[in-house]
Amino acid sequence: MTPSRSVVAVLSEHQGSGVLIGRSTVLTCAHVIGAADTARVAVPGSTGELACRLVWSDEVLDAALLHITRKPEARTQLPRMSTVATDRPLPHCEIIGFPRIQRYDGGRKLDLDQYTGTILPMAGLIRRTMVFEFDRPPASEPADGTSPLAGLSGAPVFADDGLLGIVQEVPRGRGHQRVECLPLQTLAMSQGFLDAYGASTGFPPPRLTELSSPAINDLRFEREYAEAVGAAYRRTRIFGLDELRKRDSEWDLDTAYVSLEAQPREGEGHDRPGALPQVPIGPEVPEAGGAVASVPKRIDELLADRPRVLLRGEAGAGKTTLMWWLAAHASAGTLGPRLDQLNGLVPFVVPLRTLRARGGTFPTPSQLHSVAQLTADDPPEGWAGRVLKAGRALLLLDGLDEVPKNDREEVHEWLSGLLARFPGTRCVVTVRPLAVEPDWLKSEHFEELSLLPMTGSDIHAFVAAWHRAARLDSDDGENLHDLERDLAQQFEQNRALSDLARTPLLCAVICALHRLRQGFLPETRWALYQSALQMLLGNRDKRRKIDAPEGISMNVEEHLQLLQRIAVWLVRGGQAEFTREQALHQLNRALPGMPRVQEQGTPEDVLNHLLNRSGLLQERGDDNFQFAHRTFQDFLAAKEFVEGDQLKEALQHAHEQQWQDVLLLAAGHCSRRELPLLVNGLMAAGSSLGKREGRRTALYVLAALCAQHAAWLDATTLKRVRSGITSVVPPRNATELHLLARLGPYVLPLLPGPDHRDTWNKKHVVDLINEIGGVDAIPYARRFAERADGSNRLAFSLARNWANYPVDTFAREVLARVDLTDVPLHITNREQLAQLPVLSHARHLDITGDISTAELESRLDGHSIETIGIADNKLLTDLAFLRCCGSQLLQVAIRRCPAVESLAFLPELEALEVVDLDAVRVSAADVGAMARISRLRSVYISYPSLEGEKLNLTPLRAVAGLKLNVSGLPKRQIIGYR
């Protein structure tokens, strides 16, 4: 994206130019605005002119800041704020703006003009101005003596994508070949500018990047590097959509990316420096030891204020996709507001599986850019070190679990040393759930997050995204709209099917098979993979009318026999990637037993056929290949272990996480004779372990999942599995809870009932019931609801997990039986809001999502409420609906509701005591309104959007005994805050 995307035309007392230095913040010259306090700007790519208000002006500096009242439509990469760090002339700079001479259509319409030239750092040193000399005369002076550059005032001066300053005036006697400019370095010394920038953008001004000729080379390389990152990671392959024929350029990662939910470890992050002081809705219910229960959130929201994260997730959960998405968008500067701080960082993607496959050592700083084998030239010498030292690096380590266990400490040592040397580096590391111990990276200040299975709404969003992508590839006669609608209905009506679709990979497999089979789907995970392989290996070329393009023709089983030899070799070696030579070695061992295939060509011919036609192998670099997804590798390796009578070998590795998916998938390949061997082997492996870290639970759950594949299994084995699972319930922590929840309804009858005396155990049981959710779990949840005996913990858990159950049934059968006097009821959609008449005893409501003011007023009418929270609602415009909440309303929290225009209604709530505002607009009138609340005792304001330059809290000082907490604003922007 070029710098011109940030240039705007400014229309006020005079016509000038300006530059976006925030999403809605424009820097221009004060003399363009004159005595006015408003202006209009025209942003390239946005429709019409946008209204602005003046937030700061300094006539001495001749600079002004404008705030656009409506966010521009066009996506804009903001320029890097920079300063000249050399006394030598700085060539190859440019000015982009809207001079009058460039107008067209009789002078009525504006157009951009672009000038190249050199910055002369010494020419304006004493006056602290910046002199730009044009490479050639820009234009002849008109006959009336006016400047040919009129209208260029406020235009940005760029060196590559670095913003150095803005044009101010044309000095006399220079033949219009020079302009004098205001450097950003001078602006950065103005406290008024710093305060106004923070008030308008919500962020402190970034540190200025020092530019010299070498730094310019860095910037140019970074632009090339960003393009290489985009080329490598913006395009992806979703299963079943691997060969688009139409509108190929529109097919990228954004088409199918779905932001998933993740959960911090229990109690983690609540005392993190900079964490927002947020008041709970209703009484706060602690976990054991006083920690507050961690609440799932979207992964991009959780990553925003966590500089270092260890992200755990199951196979196919979307870990790698997330890393690619972060890399592509951070480098392009296109991440949304929540992750705005990552925009412009330089991503270094380190696929640890690749390092393992190549047998290489861990990269030095200068090697980081080359690990992912991007198509970019070599960087300027020392570039990566300068990026790391400046704190502009985003280090993305993918697949820690694919490093052999004995080598992981080496990873730890390397990463620790790198982060100690460059402490400003942001970092995300992905790993399977149990591959490393809890707190494995705690010494390096990493926080742990766990990707959660997709919810019903996630599945719905993914299905929509998949079919949106499929329509790019579909024939005109294919009715994908009907197929999408049918699949969505199947997910709603078939719990077993929706349970299978809890990861993006499996959901994509289901979408592809549903399309191929016109609505008919397999019923087990193993059958899904088997059908997927049949689709790829048996029907793929036939559907496209391709017949043996490499001169090789193989049936499905012949493909499988060869691919599973490669897969099992990879699993045995703890690898995920292989070279051509390694693959040929495996084929040379297998082909003598396959004479029909061997006579069709050499091993090289057969390998080329597998790489080009199977759809299961993909190239990740020069002579570097892998399976399209690790799960297909595990599935084929499992098949080889069973067919080769080598289950005992696989069971010897049962304690190793990277083997456990292989063992689970082996169950689908087992015969009636082999399955008891597998299940009992897993139970024995689990029995040999202590309960530490959930490893025994993991193996018992694995055995039970394998047993579920059986059409028949002897009673002794079934009883042993049942006893094993019973011995590890209730779960003791979140890890064990997620493991046991994989068993679904199977585990529900094995749970202790509500008569158990240990309240803490009861709470863990209820958490597991909620995690399983669905229709099957409702009778068990109801038993605990009826016997809660005033336990806030149980009521809190049930009320918080409404979204996991059928809405109306759970409201009638469970929530109606829970004492909701002292716990918040979480409402996330209109269907839940409609159940409030059944839940008239709820006194604390936490309502999230886009629900209109009219809907809220209609549903809350006559419902007596003590506390209410409204969050993430873009439709909410005013608070008058609160009049429906009765006269007992004590606390109001409005969080991330950008359309709320006024808080003027709050003084009418006669019982109101607490106001909590997070990321909403707060004006002087709003502060005055809060000061008139008769019983006000606490006000919490976090990251407010201000109407002016400062937040004046003086009116609140008159409120006796008021507790006031403000965060997210520099103190210099706050008046009257003690």
Side-chain angles (χ1 to χ4, degrees), residues 260 316-317 452-460 462-463 487 490-491 494-511 521-525 528:
L260 301 178
L452 299 180
M454 291 204 296
T455 65
S457 60
D458 293 335
I459 292 172
H460 180 78
F462 188 95
V463 169
L487 183 56
Q490 289 199 47
F491 277 129
N494 186 340
R495 168 64 188 272
L497 182 64
S498 61
D499 284 345
L500 282 173
R502 295 301 182 189
T503 67
L505 174 67
L506 286 175
C507 196
V509 170
I510 290 171
C511 290
L521 288 167
E523 296 181 353
T524 68
R525 182 184 179 192
L528 274 176

Side-chain angles (χ1 to χ4, degrees), residues 886-889 906-913 933-936:
S887 60
Q888 305 301 313
L889 189 59
L906 293 180
E908 298 185 31
L909 302 171
E910 57 189 40
L912 188 62
E913 297 179 354
I933 300 172
S934 59
R935 300 179 61 179
L936 187 66

Side-chain angles (χ1 to χ4, degrees), residues 60-62 83-84 119-132 157 164-171 178-187 189:
V60 176
L61 291 175
D62 191 16
T83 184
V84 178
I119 296 292
L120 305 174
M122 301 300 292
L125 184 64
I126 296 175
R127 290 179 296 128
R128 291 187 177 178
T129 191
M130 181 171 67
V131 175
F132 179 100
V157 183
L164 294 172
I166 57 172
V167 174
Q168 286 183 314
E169 64 177 321
V170 181
R178 283 189 179 184
V179 288
E180 293 183 350
C181 312
L182 173 67
L184 287 189
Q185 186 174 17
T186 300
L187 264 184
M189 293 186 287

Side-chain angles (χ1 to χ4, degrees), residues 772-789:
I772 295 168
V775 175
D776 294 315
I778 284 181
Y780 297 90
R782 184 176 60 227
R783 289 170 58 198
F784 279 89
E786 292 170 340
R787 304 287 295 278
D789 297 329

Side-chain angles (χ1 to χ4, degrees), residues 927-939:
V927 175
M930 287 189 284
R932 296 195 302 274
I933 300 172
S934 59
R935 300 179 61 179
L936 187 66
R937 59 181 178 83
S938 298
V939 173

Side-chain angles (χ1 to χ4, degrees), residues 212-279:
S212 59
S213 293
I216 295 295
N217 292 334
D218 282 1
L219 290 175
R220 289 174 178 162
F221 173 76
E222 283 178 30
R223 180 176 293 176
E224 179 188 349
Y225 182 79
E227 292 173 355
V229 169
Y233 298 123
R234 284 199 80 111
R235 295 175 59 82
T236 188
R237 300 169 68 184
I238 303 180
F239 184 82
L241 296 175
D242 57 329
E243 286 201 357
L244 295 173
R245 298 183 298 273
K246 300 177 183 177
R247 297 163 65 190
D248 186 69
S249 63
E250 293 187 32
W251 173 239
D252 63 28
L253 185 59
D254 292 340
T255 311
Y257 178 73
V258 175
S259 178
L260 301 178
E261 281 192 335
Q263 188 169 26
R265 289 182 61 198
E266 292 178 4
E268 188 173 74
H270 296 281
D271 57 352
R272 185 192 317 111
L276 299 184
Q278 197 168 84
V279 184

